[in-house]
Amino acid sequence: MTEICPVLYSHQNFRVALLLPAAIATLVLAFLTHRTKHKLHVLNGRPGIVFPMDILKRSHRFSYAAAFGTLARLCSDIVFSAKYAFNYNGPIYLKVFVALTSMFIYGLGYYPLFAGITAERPIGYFIATIFAWVFTADFFITSFCKQPFTISYLVLIIGLLPEIICYLYLTFSLPARFIISIVKPRKKIKLAVDFESSDDLYESIRKSYQGNHVRKLFIKPDPPPPPPEGMKNKIILRLKSLSEKIFYRREKGFRYSARMISLMAVGFVLLYKISLESLVIVYEVFDYLENGLIAQFESIGWTAQPGEAASIETIREGLYIAYYFVRSFRGCTVTSLSFAFLINFVFLFHYLTSYRQNLLSLYKGQSRHLTPRAEKSNSSLMVGSMRYAGYQVGYIAKGFFIQLLLLLIVSFGIATTIIIWDILGDFLVSQVMRIWPVLLTSILLNIGQLLLAKFLFLQEKGDILAMDNRRLFFVVTYFLFFYNIFIGIFSCLMRILKSIILGSLFLPRLDHSVLPRKFQQFDPGFDAYCGFIHVESTHTNPVAMVFISILQAESLTTLKRNKLNDVDCTPMDEKEEMKDQKRRKAKWKWLLAFTLVNNPELSLQRRLVLAKERNENVKEILFSQYAIPEEKRCTESKI
């Protein structure tokens, strides 16, 4: 393969050279941002902290997803190659500091791209566009510069297709946002909800995702559809429900957070990249082995020749066996790679479904599947939220290869059994003939116990857990005790095997723990997921966001009205102003009273908060709320 252009720069040189422009761009964005707390009088409250991404919002989701998709190659290099941002040949014990420095260099290089999208200003979009173009040019130069236009060139394009889509999306969408922000400037108003473009703040709250969610809470849900009639409709409904369980079930109106969409984008691009590269390597390795065996055959001949030595025939038989092994293992490896990719691809949709289900349950105050919030400290939940994104990408990458290894072992075992069937066929048949009575007896006994329990030992054919024929039940349980000892030994081995298989299969899924419920705190992946989902639920609850936005809109409306009165130089009459304040105060008190009367738990929580502010005894309030009244206690004590 001939080179078309020379190597202009290395990976390390590009990352280091990007530091100064990235730092300058970040500083420019910082001076466009106001501080919110400290030293607001210095430099008119500038510079402020500029952040790369609001992980709790749902705006610019696809821009963030595309930006994170461009990081897939870097993530792959970090996970599998431990690639640093600069060359280091010093002591090994200092490599941890080199890794930390490299992570800072990588993060700072991509910082202006994310921060420019988050700023939602013309200058921010301009900076993000410049950096997106730089990264796109670097990607195409390093990926295609050395490749001649042949069939391998097309294979390379297919292998890089998801990354190409992400780069092209940023290349064209960010300049478009920059032009739109200049032509149609929009004043940025900070509301708790995902703000929609509207002059009316209350209408914006209604149209936002959180507003739609709250409006649904006041609408009576539709009754469940009647069962289908006819065999055709039943089959269609069954297939539809099966596809929704296996792949994905859409829920109208729900919007995923930008962080979740970005993680799924990185996961998919990473899986796609690893699978294609592994497939190419597999084909090259097995082609090399197969060509070597063919060369050996051609040197000694494919068939026996008259007067040939016995050693040549022995070598030929060995080569035939090796040739069949190579051909079979090639198919096993390709099949295992395909299944591993398909499993993880389906898991990506399951991540989204599980995230949506867990988040909506937490909005309702339910956390059955997750570790309850009361069992963990707030600091540990916050740490889990910070860890989750990195953990998820790492688990997807490493879990893919563990699943691949498990599938290879199974497929190689099946292929080996088929290949050597002629040699060990009689032995395997004899072993099956020895085992099948035990297996058949165990199956029949399990079915028999189930039938006895349903039709003989339970009332109403097992519809209620009420015992019947007790004496016979005690007799059967006594005699089955001895046989179940032998079955228990086999069941123990099956339990170990199932734990290994399911643990390996669900290793990339952080929304499920591979440990029992009481030991979930020792599962770092699931612990990080619980922290992430609890923090997101606390800070994105639509009811709380809509309530806060209404208060913000009320404050902004009042402020705007006062400014208009000052401009018109028509100050409101003092009596009218007092009436207006009393009217609004009475309105809010009435709404507060109505809410507390219909929500006793909120009433108790409000009393506790007020008691803490006034340094009152919280225990007395709890006791008065839930304890027995004093008169009743006195009467009971006399009795």
Side-chain angles (χ1 to χ4, degrees):
M1 186 176 292
T2 59
E3 290 190 1
I4 295 178
C5 62
V7 178
L8 301 178
Y9 51 86
S10 65
H11 167 81
Q12 289 82 1
N13 291 338
F14 176 73
R15 296 298 170 185
V16 174
L18 204 63
L19 282 178
L20 183 59
I24 294 174
T26 304
L27 192 61
V28 170
L29 292 174
F31 272 96
L32 294 176
T33 306
H34 288 274
R35 293 190 296 272
T36 58
K37 289 185 178 180
H38 304 291
K39 304 291 183 179
L40 300 181
H41 62 282
V42 179
L43 295 178
N44 196 21
R46 301 171 190 268
I49 297 178
V50 55
F51 54 91
M53 177 183 177
D54 190 344
I55 62 175
L56 302 175
K57 291 291 185 179
R58 283 159 169 78
S59 55
H60 303 301
R61 297 178 299 163
F62 297 108
S63 296
Y64 288 130
F68 272 101
T70 62
L71 291 171
R73 175 178 294 191
L74 182 59
C75 294
S76 176
D77 293 336
I78 292 172
V79 173
F80 300 110
S81 304
K83 182 176 286 187
Y84 300 135
F86 54 92
N87 296 321
Y88 175 76
N89 298 317
I92 297 179
Y93 60 86
L94 292 179
K95 278 196 172 183
V96 61
F97 300 103
V98 177
L100 291 174
T101 307
S102 298
M103 297 308 106
F104 174 77
I105 294 174
Y106 290 147
L108 183 58
Y110 281 92
Y111 205 92
L113 175 62
F114 291 94
I117 298 173
T118 305
E120 296 182 342
R121 297 170 180 265
I123 186 63
Y125 288 130
F126 177 75
I127 291 175
T129 300
I130 296 299
F131 275 82
W133 286 351
V134 170
F135 292 134
T136 303
D138 171 67
F139 169 75
F140 279 98
I141 290 173
T142 55
S143 299
F144 300 102
C145 184
K146 299 180 184 180
Q147 304 293 332
F149 193 80
T150 59
I151 298 298
S152 61
Y153 194 90
L154 299 177
V155 173
L156 181 64
I157 292 176
I158 295 174
L160 298 175
L161 188 60
E163 293 178 83
I164 293 173
I165 293 174
C166 291
Y167 279 107
L168 292 181
Y169 179 85
L170 293 176
T171 300
F172 294 104
S173 66
L174 291 178
R177 291 178 183 271
F178 170 67
I179 295 172
I180 292 173
S181 63
I182 294 176
V183 175
K184 295 181 180 179
R186 181 168 64 91
K187 187 178 180 181
K188 189 175 180 181
I189 301 177
K190 293 183 179 180
L191 290 179
V193 298
D194 293 330
F195 184 67
E196 299 287 339
S197 179
S198 176
D199 294 333
D200 189 356
L201 294 178
Y202 296 101
E203 187 65 19
S204 297
I205 297 173
R206 285 173 56 86
K207 291 181 179 180
S208 64
Y209 159 71
Q210 293 87 347
N212 289 326
H213 180 90
V214 173
R215 287 165 61 190
K216 284 183 181 179
L217 299 178
F218 293 96
I219 300 175
K220 186 177 180 180
D222 297 331
E229 297 179 359
M231 185 59 65
K232 180 180 178 181
N233 294 331
K234 289 182 180 179
I235 294 174
I236 293 175
L237 181 64
R238 184 63 60 88
L239 292 176
K240 184 179 178 182
S241 62
L242 183 63
S243 65
E244 289 179 348
K245 288 181 180 179
I246 296 177
F247 294 104
Y248 178 74
R249 180 179 62 84
R250 180 177 179 271
E251 186 163 325
K252 187 177 180 181
F254 184 84
R255 295 181 67 183
Y256 294 96
S257 65
R259 190 183 193 187
M260 200 65 189
I261 294 293
S262 301
L263 277 177
M264 295 304 102
V266 175
F268 173 74
V269 176
L270 195 61
L271 284 175
Y272 189 89
K273 178 181 175 62
I274 294 172
S275 301
L276 264 294
E277 289 182 355
S278 302
L279 192 61
V280 171
I281 294 173
V282 165
Y283 264 100
E284 290 179 352
V285 170
F286 281 100
D287 275 342
Y288 176 78
L289 295 176
E290 190 173 344
N291 292 333
L293 291 173
I294 292 174
Q296 293 293 328
F297 274 119
E298 290 177 350
S299 64
I300 65 174
W302 289 85
T303 58
Q305 302 295 330
E308 189 177 58
S311 59
I312 299 298
E313 182 63 25
T314 304
I315 293 174
R316 184 181 291 108
E317 290 179 357
L319 289 176
Y320 269 117
I321 294 175
Y323 183 74
Y324 289 135
F325 267 103
V326 169
R327 297 280 307 262
S328 301
F329 287 172
R330 181 209 294 268
C332 292
T333 307
V334 173
T335 304
S336 301
L337 269 171
S338 303
F339 271 99
F341 173 76
L342 182 62
I343 290 171
N344 284 274
F345 178 71
V346 173
F347 276 175
L348 291 180
F349 292 102
H350 286 200
Y351 290 137
L352 296 175
T353 304
S354 181
Y355 163 81
R356 180 182 64 199
Q357 182 180 358
N358 292 330
L359 191 62
L360 292 177
S361 297
L362 287 178
Y363 286 161
K364 300 175 184 177
Q366 303 171 358
S367 58
R368 298 174 185 173
H369 174 69
L370 305 171
T371 304
R373 181 179 170 183
E375 295 182 7
K376 299 184 67 62
S377 64
N378 294 330
S379 56
S380 63
L381 291 177
M382 188 62 68
V383 170
S385 178
M386 292 187 290
R387 289 174 175 172
Y388 171 68
Y391 274 28
Q392 184 64 83
V393 175
Y395 273 66
I396 288 176
K398 290 296 184 181
F400 172 81
F401 281 101
I402 293 175
Q403 292 174 356
L404 177 61
L405 178 62
L406 182 65
L407 292 171
L408 284 175
I409 293 173
V410 174
S411 59
F412 283 178
I414 297 173
T416 304
T417 304
I418 294 174
I419 292 174
I420 64 176
W421 179 262
D422 293 335
I423 302 174
L424 301 177
D426 296 336
F427 173 76
L428 295 175
V429 170
S430 63
Q431 294 300 317
V432 172
M433 294 299 293
R434 292 177 57 186
I435 294 174
W436 77 264
V438 179
L439 297 176
L440 182 61
T441 306
S442 302
I443 294 172
L444 292 177
L445 273 175
N446 286 329
I447 296 175
Q449 291 180 66
L450 184 63
L451 294 176
L452 287 174
K454 183 173 183 179
F455 296 104
L456 193 62
F457 298 144
L458 287 175
Q459 300 178 18
E460 302 294 336
K461 295 183 179 181
D463 291 337
I464 58 175
L465 190 61
M467 193 178 296
D468 199 2
N469 299 316
R470 292 190 174 213
R471 295 182 180 181
L472 183 59
F473 170 73
F474 298 151
V475 172
V476 172
T477 303
Y478 173 76
F479 282 102
L480 284 177
F481 165 74
F482 301 99
Y483 185 78
N484 284 330
I485 293 176
F486 299 100
I487 300 299
I489 297 174
F490 177 74
S491 176
C492 177
L493 298 177
M494 291 300 297
R495 185 182 186 187
I496 295 173
L497 184 62
K498 290 177 182 177
S499 300
I500 294 174
I501 294 175
L502 292 178
S504 303
L505 185 64
F506 286 93
L507 181 62
R509 294 196 58 176
L510 300 190
D511 55 326
H512 291 285
S513 178
V514 295
L515 301 179
R517 180 61 184 266
K518 291 185 178 181
F519 299 94
Q520 287 178 353
Q521 57 182 342
F522 298 107
D523 186 346
F526 183 74
D527 189 66
Y529 176 78
C530 289
F532 157 71
I533 203 75
H534 276 297
V535 170
E536 183 144 340
S537 168
T538 303
H539 290 82
T540 64
N541 192 300
V543 178
M545 295 298 102
V546 169
F547 176 72
I548 294 172
S549 297
I550 291 174
L551 297 181
Q552 290 174 328
E554 182 74 16
S555 176
L556 291 172
T557 304
T558 303
L559 182 63
K560 184 178 179 180
R561 185 172 57 247
N562 293 337
K563 287 184 177 180
L564 289 175
N565 291 333
D566 294 340
V567 171
D568 295 339
C569 297
T570 55
M572 186 182 296
D573 187 23
E574 187 176 351
K575 293 183 178 180
E576 292 293 331
E577 186 176 357
M578 293 180 62
K579 287 182 179 180
D580 184 62
Q581 291 179 357
K582 289 181 179 179
R583 192 182 301 111
R584 283 189 282 110
K585 191 174 182 180
K587 174 185 174 182
W588 288 112
K589 282 190 174 182
W590 166 251
L591 294 175
L592 175 63
F594 183 82
T595 303
L596 295 177
V597 167
N598 289 278
N599 298 273
E601 283 293 328
L602 289 179
S603 176
L604 175 61
Q605 294 178 12
R606 185 170 185 270
R607 292 180 62 190
L608 293 175
V609 172
L610 294 176
K612 289 180 180 179
E613 292 179 354
R614 298 169 183 170
N615 296 325
E616 294 180 1
N617 194 346
V618 177
K619 293 183 179 180
E620 292 182 1
I621 296 178
L622 290 172
F623 186 79
S624 64
Q625 182 76 15
Y626 293 111
I628 303 173
E630 186 176 355
E631 296 179 358
K632 192 173 182 180
R633 292 202 305 270
C634 294
T635 306
E636 289 179 355
S637 61
K638 290 179 182 178
I639 294 174

